[in-house]
């Protein structure tokens, strides 16, 4: 399946942290991008993308579309060979109504965007931004794997609307994506499953969870200590690259775990301290499990979360992303250093 790079590419959630990097790289390749935003009048949210067209040979057009509105993506998909569906709410705190805030937009959004692909004869490839949390829900799930490592063959079977609702939203949305893709044979679905994404942002937005988490570290929110929980970590620029390779490589198919490194929360603090010695009030201690049970609820961590994640390790197999998409992962140290550098340069933390 040959993709004509001169045809427009539809990217949903254009103003987002990850989508902005995807669009930057597409514009640098001279592509024409149709980027969907929720509010076209709020130009501040996507001005950075318009500005990029002045420095590149690419073109950018903002299109208003909401995940919850059926038909919103239909016109924008016409004439595109590639759709990259990144838009989905990524929130981990302040969740009062998981169905309304997370599950419905993730699921309905997938139906609407992939429905638009079905209606546009031109579409050949859809790249869906899922997550590793569609593969596992809690670190404890690792004990159920055959070889003690998460691979693309696993699905998150432990998250529910009340326990890990964000992970649940990503799982049901990706499953729906495969169901819609398998019901037709004109376009191919390729899925990117990022772990926790860090690295410099192209905007000074603070409301994206990845950026807000890094700011929490730098502003001393965690200075009393952090629970011993681990994640996969990946650079935002590697995620953007993976989307583009998934779109343009003929043989790209299936799911792709994107994990550049593994780290605990304390491990992130250690990397910041190494790059910026004595500059920030970083957590130096790990809170033990008993303490995590006690203080967890203050950070929005339920007892169930603590029991199934604190003190448990994680392991991912990222070989498919390396072999099939050619990802050469940016080192964790560089991701952290350049993320802090950007936040300082944008005046979001004291430099
Ligand atoms: P982000 O900066 O918060 O971007 C999310 C995007 O989704 C925003 O552009 C937002 O639009 C859009 N969106 C949310 N609800 C919408 C709705 N109802 N209608 C239309 N658009 C809507 O987060 P991100 O980190 O870039 O996340 C992008 C994707 O990557 C998501 O699918 C997320 O689940 C996935 N992911 C992220 C990470 C990570 O660590 N960052 C890891 C794994 C997977 P507005 O600008 O209008 O709010």
């Amino acid at each position: 399946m040959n993709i004509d790079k001169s045809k427009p590419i539809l990217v949903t959630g254009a103003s987002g942290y990850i989508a902005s990097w995807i669009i930057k790289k597409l514009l640098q390749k001279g592509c024409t991008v149709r980027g969907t935003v929720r509010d076209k009048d709020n130009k501040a949210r996507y001005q950075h993308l318009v500005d990029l067209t002045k420095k590149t040979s690419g073109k950018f057009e903002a299109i208003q579309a909401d995940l919850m509105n059926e038909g919103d993506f239909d016109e924008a998909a016409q004439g595109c060979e590639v759709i990259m569906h990144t838009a989905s709410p990524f929130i981990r705190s302040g969740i009062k109504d998981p169905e309304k805030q997370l599950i419905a937009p993730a699921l309905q959004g997938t139906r609407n965007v992939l429905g638009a692909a079905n209606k546009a004869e031109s579409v050949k490839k859809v790249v869906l931004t899922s997550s590793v949390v569609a593969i596992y829900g809690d670190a404890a799930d690792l004990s159920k794997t055959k070889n003690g490592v998460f691979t693309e063959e696993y699905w998150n079977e432990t998250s529910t609307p009340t326990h890990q609702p964000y992970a649940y939203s990503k799982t049901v949305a990706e499953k729906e994506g495969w169901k819609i893709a398998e019901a037709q044979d004109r376009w191919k679905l390729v899925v990117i499953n990022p772990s926790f994404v860090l690295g410099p942002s192209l905007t000074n937005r603070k409301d994206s969870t990845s950026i807000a988490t890094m700011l929490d570290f730098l502003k001393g929110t965690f200075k009393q200590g952090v629970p011993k929980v681990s994640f996969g970590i990946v650079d935002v620029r590697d995620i953007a690259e993976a989307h583009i390779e998934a779109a343009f490589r003929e043989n790209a198919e299936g799911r792709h775990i994107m994990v550049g490194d593994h780290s605990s929360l304390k491990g992130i603090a250690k990397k910041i301290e190494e790059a910026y010695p004595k500059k920030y009030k970083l957590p130096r201690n790990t809170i033990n499990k008993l303490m995590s049970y006690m203080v967890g609820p203050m950070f929005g961590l339920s007892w169930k979360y603590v029991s199934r994640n604190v003190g448990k390790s994680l392991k991912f197999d990222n070989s498919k992303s390396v072999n099939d998409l050619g990802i050469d992962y940016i080192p964790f140290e560089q991701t952290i250093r350049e993320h802090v550098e950007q936040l300082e340069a944008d005046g979001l933390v004291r430099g």
Side-chain angles (χ1 to χ4, degrees):
M1 177 192 305
N2 243 338
I3 299 293
D4 180 351
K5 296 191 181 95
S6 70
K7 296 271 172 67
I9 294 171
L10 177 63
V11 182
T12 69
S15 58
Y17 171 54
I18 292 175
S20 291
W21 268 105
I22 296 175
I23 294 171
K24 178 176 178 172
K25 285 177 181 270
L26 287 171
L27 294 176
Q28 284 172 334
K29 287 183 189 297
C31 298
T32 297
V33 177
R34 293 180 185 163
T36 70
V37 293
R38 260 191 282 193
D39 178 7
K40 202 179 162 185
D41 291 335
N42 190 354
K43 292 205 174 86
R45 292 280 249 216
Y46 59 87
Q47 188 58 42
H48 60 290
L49 302 171
V50 176
D51 292 344
L52 275 169
T53 60
K54 293 171 201 149
K55 297 179 209 146
T56 62
S57 52
K59 294 193 186 78
F60 176 79
E61 184 192 355
I63 291 166
Q64 183 152 320
D66 193 298
L67 293 173
M68 295 304 289
N69 296 344
E70 207 187 324
D72 260 16
F73 299 87
D74 293 358
E75 207 183 311
Q78 296 293 326
C80 295
E81 289 193 355
V82 173
I83 297 179
M84 298 191 186
H85 178 36
T86 82
S88 201
F90 178 30
I91 46 171
R92 307 207 98 170
S93 57
I95 304 167
K96 294 194 177 73
D97 185 345
E99 175 61 36
K100 191 168 168 218
Q101 291 170 274
L102 288 164
I103 303 160
L107 195 54
Q108 203 52 48
T110 303
R111 287 188 187 126
N112 287 337
V113 175
L114 273 53
N118 275 341
K119 289 179 211 157
E121 285 296 322
S122 53
V123 174
K124 293 181 177 171
K125 188 85 81 69
V126 175
V127 183
L128 173 71
T129 320
S130 183
S131 170
V132 285
V133 299
I135 286 169
Y136 84 104
D138 298 302
D141 297 349
L142 193 68
S143 65
K144 298 267 162 41
T145 58
K146 277 179 283 191
N147 300 314
V149 57
F150 289 118
T151 64
E152 285 84 358
E153 77 188 273
Y154 295 101
W155 280 95
N156 174 354
E157 289 173 351
T158 55
S159 296
T160 66
T162 50
H163 175 64
Q164 304 271 45
Y166 167 69
Y168 180 77
S169 78
K170 295 305 285 181
T171 308
V172 292
E174 191 194 323
K175 281 191 174 165
E176 187 70 8
W178 284 113
K179 197 171 125 198
I180 298 168
E182 280 154 16
Q184 56 79 55
D185 54 15
R186 174 169 35 83
W187 51 267
K188 191 168 161 186
L189 181 68
V190 185
V191 173
I192 303 300
N193 302 84
S195 51
F196 193 54
V197 184
L198 290 171
S201 169
L202 292 175
T203 71
N204 59 4
R205 259 179 86 165
K206 293 186 278 188
D207 58 347
S208 199
T209 295
S210 291
I211 298 155
T213 306
M214 189 54 122
L215 283 170
D216 277 339
F217 271 101
L218 302 175
K219 289 186 168 173
T221 312
F222 306 135
K223 67 179 181 219
Q224 306 297 353
V226 278
K228 198 176 173 197
V229 282
S230 294
F231 308 92
I233 307 274
V234 63
D235 194 287
V236 64
R237 295 159 290 188
D238 287 334
I239 296 300
E241 204 61 39
H243 281 75
I244 292 168
E245 294 299 326
F248 296 151
R249 282 193 187 215
E250 213 171 321
N251 62 349
E253 60 184 9
R255 315 171 85 193
H256 299 84
I257 287 177
M258 294 289 300
V259 174
D261 216 324
H262 297 72
S263 176
S264 60
L265 287 170
K266 198 174 154 203
I268 296 177
K270 196 164 163 257
K271 286 281 182 271
I272 301 172
E273 184 61 29
E274 279 165 16
Y276 299 88
K278 298 196 169 79
K279 197 165 183 183
Y280 294 102
K281 292 192 178 78
L282 297 162
R284 286 174 214 293
N285 305 314
T286 304
I287 306 170
N288 67 31
K289 198 155 187 169
L290 181 64
M291 202 60 172
S292 300
Y293 277 117
M294 287 161 72
V295 299
M298 288 193 291
F299 295 100
L301 306 180
S302 68
W303 282 17
K304 187 171 176 186
Y305 177 88
V306 172
S307 91
R308 292 185 49 80
N309 292 280
V310 172
K312 303 208 182 298
S313 56
L314 282 172
K315 200 170 173 204
F316 298 93
D317 179 354
N318 69 3
S319 57
K320 189 156 180 267
S321 64
V322 173
N323 298 333
D324 293 5
L325 302 180
I327 302 300
D328 179 12
Y329 283 99
I330 294 171
F332 184 25
E333 294 74 13
Q334 186 185 340
T335 300
I336 297 289
R337 186 173 17 87
E338 292 177 358
H339 198 166
V340 178
E341 207 169 274
Q342 171 258 319
L343 293 168
E344 289 182 352
D346 283 341
L348 297 176
V349 282
R350 196 173 20 88

